[in-house]
Structures are given as structure tokens and as C-alpha cells.
Amino acid sequence: MFETLLEEFITLWVVIDPIGTIPVFIAVTSALTAVQRRKTALVACLVSAAILMFFLIFGQLLIDALGIGLLSFQVAGGIVLFLFALTMIFGESKPETDRKSVDLEDEIASERPSPAVFPLAVPSLASPGAMLAIVILTDNHRFSVADQTITAGVMLLIVAIAYVCMRLADPIIRLIGISGSAVVSRVMGMILASVAANAVLSALLEIVKTGAL
């Protein structure tokens, strides 16, 4: 029992990656206040936990119905992560505009998803790998409801650890300031772009080798 729990914990730790979420959190919340950062961290964890719980309960039915495989998830997740990495590297341009244009941009920006949802909840915490891993670890054909409940508890524990990790980012942000976080954002953007490219390339190579999606 202990070995099974440890194996599930390690698997979910790797795919959810609480530590790897810290630089993303710093990058997208550097301009927010401490209260806003705490709220963002909490909402990100709640949303990611809800998404993973959905896949734990309904994921197997959904994937079987749509015929989606791990490699397809990996390619999609890699592309999304790469696009986000580009925004971290280049930042958002803010050209001079008249007041009407500024008001329109503010209205549009207010409709954009919160950074707690994208990219923190998805695809940082609730990544395609995490979604599929939770489906595999709760296979209805191999695991009882009790086993699946334990897996859900392990998943929620790791998401809670991710929340603690993001809360610990506060002193880091205060120490390095906005300029320092801008540097961190671009460096981590390069790393995330490399990780995303590697995920897509490895999936494509596997598809070529096996002919399976």
C-alpha cells in the first residue's frame, strides 16, 4: 500500500510540478499586489484541482469517446506552453494610442482570462500530462472507488503544496523587484520554450516511430 501511494505521489508530483510553477507565478504576478498574488495562487489551485477532479471522474469516458491519446495531449500542451513562453520572452507591447483606443483596450483586457486560470491553472498545474496521468491512475477497470479516492487525496495534497510554493514566491518578488522579475520572466520564458519544443518534438518522433497517436 505504501509503495503504491509513493508511486502515485511521485507520478503526480512530476506531472503537476509544484516547484516548476514558481517561476511562472513570479512572471505573471510581478505587477500585482501581495493580496492579488495570494488570491491568484488560491484561484489557480482551486481551478486546477477542479479540472483534475473532472478528469478523475469523467476523463476515461471522455478520452475513450474521443479517441484521444497521450501523444496528442503532449503535442497540444507543448504548443500552448510554447505560445505562452513567447509572451514571457517578448512581453506585451503597449504603443501610444488615443484615449478612445485605451478605453477599448481596457475593456478587452478586462475580458481576458485571469492569470490564475491561464497559464497557472492550465497548462502549468493541470497540464495535459497531469490530466492523462490522473485518468491512468484511476482506471475504472483496474482500481476500485476506494483506490480512486486515495488517488484524489494524493492529487489534492500536491495541489496544496503548489499553493504553498506560490505563496513562498512573495518574498522572492519583493526581493528582486519588478525589474528583476522581468529578467526572470524572460529567462524562464526561454526555458519553457525549450521544454515545450522538446515535448512536441519527442511526441512527433514517437508518432513517426510507432505510427500511433
Side-chain angles (χ1 to χ4, degrees):
M1 185 65 178
F2 176 77
E3 291 180 354
T4 301
L5 282 175
L6 181 61
E7 181 180 346
E8 289 187 356
F9 182 87
I10 292 174
T11 300
L12 292 175
W13 179 275
V14 170
V15 293
I16 296 175
D17 194 11
I19 303 299
T21 303
I22 294 177
V24 180
F25 179 79
I26 292 175
V28 300
T29 63
S30 59
L32 303 181
T33 65
V35 173
Q36 290 173 325
R37 286 197 295 271
R38 287 196 296 269
K39 181 180 178 181
T40 299
L42 178 61
V43 172
C45 290
L46 291 177
V47 171
S48 60
I51 292 172
L52 293 176
M53 283 299 296
F54 173 84
F55 272 84
L56 187 149
I57 299 171
F58 302 109
Q60 187 170 354
L61 297 175
L62 180 63
I63 289 176
D64 289 345
L66 298 177
I68 301 173
L70 172 61
L71 296 177
S72 299
F73 262 76
Q74 188 171 331
V75 171
I79 293 173
V80 171
L81 194 60
F82 183 80
L83 293 176
F84 170 67
L86 292 181
T87 67
M88 291 178 65
I89 296 170
F90 297 108
E92 296 184 1
S93 59
K94 297 182 179 179
E96 294 183 1
T97 56
D98 56 26
R99 182 62 191 172
K100 183 177 180 180
S101 299
V102 172
D103 291 340
L104 179 60
E105 289 178 359
D106 290 341
E107 182 180 347
I108 295 173
S110 65
E111 298 177 356
R112 293 176 182 171
S114 164
V117 177
F118 174 83
L120 288 174
V122 181
S124 185
L125 292 173
S127 64
M131 296 175 195
L132 202 61
I134 203 73
V135 172
I136 294 172
L137 292 174
T138 56
D139 187 347
N140 295 330
H141 302 298
R142 295 186 296 143
F143 301 103
S144 65
V145 174
D147 294 331
Q148 294 178 19
T149 302
I150 293 174
T151 302
V154 173
M155 180 269 292
L156 292 175
L157 173 62
I158 295 176
V159 172
I161 294 174
Y163 173 73
V164 174
C165 290
M166 286 188 282
R167 287 297 307 274
L168 293 176
D170 273 357
I172 298 175
I173 294 175
R174 286 195 297 267
L175 178 64
I176 64 178
I178 295 179
S179 297
S181 65
V183 174
V184 172
S185 174
R186 281 152 178 77
V187 172
M188 294 312 303
M190 287 297 300
I191 295 175
L192 284 176
S194 301
V195 170
N198 183 69
V200 173
L201 290 175
S202 61
L204 292 177
L205 288 174
E206 189 66 23
I207 291 172
V208 171
K209 286 168 57 179
T210 63
L213 293 176

